[in-house]
Amino acid sequence: ATAIHDWYLPNLPVMPTAMGLVVLFTVINLMGVKWAARLAIPLASVAGLLALASGLGPALAGTVDWHQATNLHLTTPFDGWFGDMTSIMAGLFLIGFVAPAFETAACHVGEMTNPERSLPRTMWVSAGLACVFFIPLPLIWLGTLGPEALSKDLAQVLGPTFAPLFGTASKAAAVWFMLVNLFLCSLQPLCGAPRTLSQIADDGLIPRIFSSRMKFTDVPWFATLFTAGFALFFLYLGDPVWLIAATNFTYVFGGLVLPSVAVWLLRRDAPEAPRLYRAPRGTILLGLIAASVWAMTALLGFQQFGLTTVIVGLIFAYSGSILYVWRLLADKRRAGQPLSFRTLHVKLTGAMLVVLLLD
């Protein structure tokens, strides 16, 4: 919404527009995965083609300063080897956010007609697009624009990378390159995250209502509205930086590190369990190594995050425990069993929460 306001419609109110976009994408997702795909596929195709144009155009036109592109001088927060390592870790932390591309494919595995064929294909396509966006594009942009320009608003500075192919329309191409990617980033969380919540509820880990699905579209309607509701609430708060940092911190540990370890443990302990998709064994080990790197990047960034961010991030992570206890109590009441809190799980969780309070 801010991008549309800054680039096209200066009189457009940002907050109502942002909330309107969330509501619009929520409605599209409630109409079913086919409707979401009908919007996502054209947007993704445009984004991919514009990415190729932004990379191939300067390379073919000879406007790339390859010496500048390969002179990867680190901008460090402080001097010394630890400053260099911190900068490298910051880059690896950002690269970790390519993970949602693979999650977008994996969270729909239960709805695929032929997951054994379709899911590996989507994984390879995701990997290919990630390579385009994370390897040649930044190098070509660095060689064409220089490091100073890349620290500014990309929509305003990427025009020269589109100029060889688009000419006078290069600035518009740069703006739309950013816009279509922003639209995709707004659409996908309302499509993927609710299905993950629904699956967790199907597995008996959070309240049953998250499993509720619409009769005709098979969309997890409550999980979708739950996700949209929190998105609107955070928008209302203004999405402060500390809140975004806290959710990122939670995502790295709860969405990348721990699941990567869990997948490795599952493959080790139940290698013959039926799976809709079986990742090659080597990639399981690579995931474990990547999880270790992501954990290290987050730990080294504690001081940059700040105490408030770390504490709020841990509270976000433990919020799932509340829903889990809710489900346990509901299942016991449903089965007519007495409610009991004298379990090792409750004692350990309680001890951890007390430690957080003391911290």
Side-chain angles (χ1 to χ4, degrees):
T2 302
I4 295 171
H5 172 273
D6 291 346
W7 302 334
Y8 283 113
L9 302 171
N11 295 323
L12 192 72
V14 173
M15 184 62 72
T17 303
M19 291 187 168
L21 286 171
V22 173
V23 172
L24 172 63
F25 289 136
T26 302
V27 171
I28 292 172
N29 278 298
L30 289 174
M31 293 169 65
V33 70
K34 285 187 177 180
W35 281 97
R38 286 168 182 167
L39 177 61
I41 291 172
L43 289 176
S45 300
V46 171
L49 290 173
L50 287 175
L52 288 174
S54 180
L56 289 177
L60 295 176
T63 57
V64 182
D65 182 345
W66 292 107
H67 176 73
Q68 181 173 261
T70 55
N71 183 23
L72 304 179
H73 176 71
L74 287 172
T75 301
T76 60
F78 39 83
D79 295 330
W81 67 269
F82 192 71
D84 292 339
M85 185 172 68
T86 302
S87 288
I88 293 172
M89 288 294 186
L92 292 173
F93 184 88
L94 292 173
I95 290 172
F97 284 90
V98 74
F102 302 98
E103 292 172 4
T104 302
C107 69
H108 292 290
V109 63
E111 297 170 284
M112 292 181 179
T113 304
N114 188 348
E116 292 84 359
R117 181 192 65 185
S118 300
L119 190 57
R121 288 182 179 179
T122 59
M123 291 294 181
W124 282 112
V125 171
S126 298
L129 284 173
C131 289
V132 170
F133 274 82
F134 276 89
I135 301 174
L137 273 190
L139 291 175
I140 290 173
W141 291 350
L142 181 62
T144 305
L145 306 171
E148 187 175 339
L150 289 183
S151 65
K152 301 176 181 177
D153 182 357
L154 288 181
Q156 302 297 329
V157 301
L158 283 181
T161 66
F162 291 98
L165 294 180
F166 288 88
T168 56
S170 59
K171 186 174 181 179
V175 169
W176 277 99
F177 173 65
M178 298 301 296
L179 269 180
V180 292
N181 280 291
L182 290 172
F183 280 135
L184 283 169
C185 291
S186 303
L187 173 70
Q188 190 279 325
L190 291 164
C191 190
R195 284 167 171 80
T196 303
L197 286 172
S198 177
Q199 182 61 58
I200 294 173
D202 292 344
D203 293 339
L205 299 175
I206 58 176
R208 292 175 182 272
I209 193 170
F210 285 92
S211 292
S212 302
R213 290 179 173 266
M214 299 180 74
K215 185 175 181 180
F216 298 105
T217 61
D218 198 40
V219 173
W221 65 269
F222 181 82
T224 301
L225 294 178
F226 181 84
T227 305
F230 268 97
L232 291 171
F233 175 65
F234 290 152
L235 275 174
Y236 177 76
L237 294 179
D239 280 336
V241 173
W242 65 265
L243 180 62
I244 296 173
T247 55
N248 284 344
F249 175 75
T250 304
Y251 177 71
V252 167
F253 274 100
L256 297 180
V257 175
L258 294 179
S260 297
V261 176
V263 169
W264 173 73
L265 290 172
L266 181 64
R267 180 63 65 89
R268 186 195 66 179
D269 297 339
E272 301 304 323
R275 292 165 168 83
L276 290 173
Y277 169 68
R278 180 179 293 273
R281 184 173 298 276
T283 60
I284 303 293
L285 181 59
L286 288 174
L288 190 63
I289 295 171
S292 302
V293 174
W294 285 323
M296 185 65 68
T297 63
L299 291 173
L300 287 176
F302 266 22
Q303 188 166 350
Q304 282 76 21
F305 275 117
L307 181 61
T308 301
T309 296
V310 173
I311 296 297
V312 173
L314 290 173
I315 291 173
F316 282 163
Y318 269 93
S319 64
S321 301
I322 299 173
L323 294 176
Y324 177 60
V325 171
W326 182 353
R327 176 60 183 265
L328 287 181
L329 297 178
D331 286 348
K332 286 191 174 186
R333 187 181 296 112
R334 192 185 184 105
Q337 298 175 354
L339 302 180
S340 174
F341 293 93
R342 303 176 68 177
T343 67
L344 182 62
H345 181 283
V346 171
K347 292 173 183 176
L348 289 175
T349 303
M352 288 298 296
L353 292 174
V354 170
V355 170
L356 286 178
L357 290 173
L358 290 173
D359 285 343

